[in-house]
């Protein structure tokens, strides 16, 4: 235990307590250059979210100065420095308001209002975000108490991701999407609270002196407030994580249902989309060259609800529904769907014209043992300007031409591959 304690001890290379306090105090203020940096970071992050660029979002995280007042709040609560706590809270509120204003301002002016995946990812916080924020906060708190700061602070800025949820909340405000606004703000609050809690834990562990003496009752009330706030955030996060887990399991069952009922049975699925609507979720499946009877559709729906997703409607689009489906898609999706349909048709046509020459050669050698090689494939025999006309062409080689009957080979191939005409020629 002593061996492990020495290796995990945080006492070595620890900065002087007064020096740490000076560094924390210096980083909590948002005035002048700090506000300019914050505003620019907000604009960069908003552009990254808007154009769905992860690299740009990461760049905004690296230059964001939001960590300062959050660490200051945690440090002040751990040392009962209420003056520092007041300054930290005031600057954090100011930074949050500036971030919301500039991000909302950008998204109001932006011509692109689509819900990109980078935005959606910041509006559904779970318990995993709590763990990430707390772990990142521990790293940040350890870093500010070291003499040699090293390189963990940029990593903490990326891991805790304070800037993207704040900008995602600005997007929700700009487009009046309250679900996005409150979801992103909740993730932002999670990050702030658990970075502060991690800072409190490290400061307590390193036994930093209290800034002032407080009565036990007041200290107890502070601890109680922190506990209540922690529980109030953790419980919804666990619920959201459970919802995310349930959604993933449902998607897995849906994928398995599509594979078992359609793909494995040789049916061509040209469209497979789980559509989320206000009235409920709906799985839309489009099949190529396959039509079910009403009774078969009813049986499929019952099986889908029983084995995959009882709360999701199943909508199977068949041949006569594909044109309507394409009309209801955006131009880009419609073009893609049309291309998929054409690809599937060509694949099916190629599959229908696929000939197993190896197997045919084995069968042919039974009554034409002198045939040593056989290759059969479809060729376009049409003249220029005429409609394409594909005919099977059989090329063979023999050990001895005596006794080889091309007419018999041709007649056998016509019957074997169900074709009206076959061209048979010996390899030269």
């Amino acid at each position: 235990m002593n061996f492990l304690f020495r290796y995990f001890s945080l006492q070595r290379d620890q900065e002087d307590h007064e020096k740490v306090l000076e560094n924390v105090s210096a980083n909590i203020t948002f005035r002048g250059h700090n506000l300019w940096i914050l505003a620019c970071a907000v604009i960069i992050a908003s552009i990254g979210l808007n154009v769905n660029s992860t690299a740009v979002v990461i760049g905004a995280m690296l230059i964001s100065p939001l960590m300062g007042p959050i660490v200051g709040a945690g440090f002040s609560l751990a040392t009962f420095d209420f003056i520092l706590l007041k300054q930290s809270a005031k600057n954090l509120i100011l930074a949050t308001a500036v971030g919301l204003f500039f991000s909302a301002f950008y998204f109001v002016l932006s011509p692109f209002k689509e819900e990109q995946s980078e935005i959606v990812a910041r509006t559904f916080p779970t318990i995993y975000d709590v763990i990430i924020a707390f772990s990142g906060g521990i790293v940040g708190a350890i870093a500010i108490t070291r003499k040699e700061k090293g390189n963990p602070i940029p990593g903490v800025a990326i891991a805790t991701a304070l800037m993207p949820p704040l900008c995602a909340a600005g997007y929700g405000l700009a487009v009046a999407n309250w679900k996005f606004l409150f979801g992103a703000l909740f993730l932002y609050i999670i990050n702030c609270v658990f970075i502060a809690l991690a800072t409190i834990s490290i400061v307590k562990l390193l036994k930093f002196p209290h800034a002032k003496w407080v009565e036990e009752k007041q200290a107890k009330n502070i601890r109680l407030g922190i506990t209540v706030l922690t529980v109030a955030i953790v419980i919804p996060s666990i619920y959201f994580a459970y919802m995310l887990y349930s959604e993933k399991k449902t998607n897995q069952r849906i994928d398995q249902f599509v594979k078992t009922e359609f793909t494995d049975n040789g049916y061509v699925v040209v469209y497979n989309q789980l559509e989320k609507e206000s009235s409920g979720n709906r799985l839309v499946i489009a099949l190529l060259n396959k039509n079910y009877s009403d009774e078969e559709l009813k049986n499929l729906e019952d099986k889908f609800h029983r084995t995959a997703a009882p709360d999701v409607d199943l909508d199977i689009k068949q041949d006569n529904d594909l044109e309507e489906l394409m009309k209801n898609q955006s131009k880009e999706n419609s073009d893609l769907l049309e291309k998929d349909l054409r690809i599937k048709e060509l694949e099916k046509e190629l599959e229908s014209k696929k000939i197993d020459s190896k197997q045919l050669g084995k069968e042919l050698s039974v009554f034409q043992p002198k045939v040593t090689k056989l290759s059969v494939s479809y060729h376009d025999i049409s003249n220029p300007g005429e409609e394409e006309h594909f005919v099977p062409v059989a090329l063979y080689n023999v050990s001895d031409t005596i006794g080889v009957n091309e007419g018999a080979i041709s007649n056998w191939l016509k019957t074997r591959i169900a074709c009206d005409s076959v061209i048979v020629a010996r390899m030269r």
Side-chain angles (χ1 to χ4, degrees):
M1 290 300 294
N2 289 335
F3 173 79
L4 290 174
F5 179 78
R6 286 197 303 272
Y7 268 85
F8 282 92
S9 175
L10 293 175
Q11 308 302 325
R12 291 189 303 173
D13 193 37
Q14 182 181 334
E15 182 65 277
D16 180 72
H17 290 176
E18 291 298 324
K19 185 67 174 176
V20 174
L21 177 59
E22 288 178 16
N23 291 335
V24 171
S25 301
N27 289 323
I28 66 172
T29 305
F30 278 96
R31 288 181 184 174
H33 74 284
N34 263 1
L35 274 179
W36 279 96
I37 293 172
L38 175 64
C40 291
V42 168
I43 295 299
I44 293 171
S46 298
I47 293 173
L49 294 174
N50 199 197
V51 301
N52 218 37
S53 173
T54 304
V56 175
V57 173
I58 291 174
M61 296 181 205
L62 289 172
I63 63 176
S64 166
L66 279 172
M67 283 281 291
I70 301 172
V71 172
F75 189 90
S76 59
L77 281 171
T79 58
F80 299 117
D81 190 337
F82 299 118
I83 296 176
L84 181 63
L85 176 61
K86 184 178 179 180
Q87 293 174 342
S88 300
K90 183 177 69 173
N91 282 282
L92 181 58
I93 292 171
L94 173 63
T96 302
V98 169
L100 276 174
F101 172 79
F102 276 98
S103 59
F105 181 73
Y106 167 81
F107 283 111
V108 166
L109 296 180
S110 173
F112 308 109
K113 300 291 194 296
E114 292 83 2
E115 301 171 359
Q116 302 288 2
S117 60
E118 284 287 341
I119 296 176
V120 176
R122 269 80 185 191
T123 60
F124 196 81
T126 68
I127 190 64
Y128 302 110
D129 296 295
V130 171
I131 297 171
I132 291 170
F134 188 75
S135 302
I138 287 177
V139 176
I142 292 173
I144 64 170
T145 61
R146 302 298 96 190
K147 291 180 181 178
E148 297 293 333
K149 306 302 181 189
N151 297 319
I153 296 298
V156 173
I158 295 173
T160 52
L162 288 161
M163 186 60 68
L166 184 59
C167 295
Y171 167 82
L173 187 63
V175 300
N177 188 325
W178 311 122
K179 180 180 177 182
F180 275 25
L181 172 63
F182 293 117
L185 278 179
F186 184 45
L187 176 56
Y188 177 72
I189 291 170
I190 285 176
N191 289 337
C192 292
V193 169
F194 281 89
I195 290 171
L197 286 175
T199 305
I200 293 172
S201 303
I202 295 300
V203 172
K204 289 288 188 183
L205 182 64
L206 295 176
K207 296 181 171 58
F208 274 69
H210 292 174
K212 61 176 291 186
W213 182 84
V214 294
E215 295 180 357
E216 179 59 29
K217 183 178 180 181
Q218 188 178 10
K220 185 176 180 181
N221 288 336
I222 292 173
R223 289 193 294 268
L224 178 61
I226 293 172
T227 302
V228 170
L229 180 61
T230 303
V231 172
I233 291 176
V234 167
I235 290 177
S237 301
I238 293 174
Y239 171 74
F240 289 141
Y242 174 75
M243 293 292 292
L244 181 63
Y245 171 78
S246 299
E247 182 178 352
K248 286 186 177 296
K249 293 298 289 183
T250 299
N251 290 339
Q252 288 175 359
R253 291 196 299 268
I254 289 174
D255 291 341
Q256 184 59 42
F257 176 85
V258 172
K259 180 178 181 297
T260 303
E261 296 299 324
F262 305 118
T263 308
D264 288 352
N265 288 328
Y267 304 142
V268 179
V269 179
V270 295
Y271 186 85
N272 178 13
Q273 186 68 41
L274 182 61
E275 299 180 353
K276 297 184 178 181
E277 303 169 347
S278 57
S279 57
N281 296 338
R282 183 168 64 116
L283 178 67
V284 180
I285 299 287
L287 301 174
L288 183 67
N289 299 327
K290 174 60 182 175
N291 286 300
Y292 288 102
S293 66
D294 291 342
E295 184 178 352
E296 288 174 327
L297 285 175
K298 181 66 170 60
N299 292 335
L300 274 175
E301 289 174 8
D302 291 342
K303 187 173 182 179
F304 176 73
H305 290 150
R306 189 173 63 254
T307 62
D311 300 327
V312 178
D313 293 331
L314 179 63
D315 186 4
I316 297 179
K317 304 290 186 182
Q318 305 185 84
D319 282 352
N320 51 350
D321 299 319
L322 292 180
E323 186 176 348
E324 179 186 353
L325 177 64
M326 291 172 65
K327 287 180 181 178
N328 293 331
Q329 301 297 312
S330 65
K331 186 179 187 310
E332 182 180 358
N333 287 343
S334 180
D335 290 343
L336 288 173
L337 182 56
E338 189 174 356
K339 289 177 182 177
D340 285 342
L341 284 170
R342 182 57 181 157
I343 290 170
K344 296 296 184 183
E345 287 175 352
L346 291 173
E347 287 177 348
K348 189 171 183 180
E349 186 177 346
L350 286 173
E351 186 65 29
S352 67
K353 289 181 167 55
K354 187 177 179 181
I355 298 175
D356 190 350
S357 296
K358 187 176 181 179
Q359 178 61 31
L360 290 176
K362 290 180 180 178
E363 296 176 11
L364 181 60
S365 64
V366 174
F367 67 94
Q368 294 286 341
K370 292 184 179 181
V371 175
T372 57
K373 292 181 180 179
L374 179 68
S375 175
V376 186
S377 61
Y378 279 87
H379 290 262
D380 182 6
I381 310 299
S382 306
N383 294 322
E386 294 182 356
E387 185 180 350
E388 287 184 333
H389 183 59
F390 289 94
V391 176
V393 175
L395 300 176
Y396 70 94
N397 206 348
V398 291
S399 58
D400 186 355
T401 57
I402 298 175
V404 175
N405 188 339
E406 283 191 0
I409 295 175
S410 177
N411 291 332
W412 173 76
L413 281 173
K414 288 178 186 179
T415 305
R416 179 65 178 77
I417 62 178
C419 192
D420 294 335
S421 63
V422 176
I423 296 176
V424 178
R426 185 165 66 89
M427 299 179 190
R428 302 298 180 184

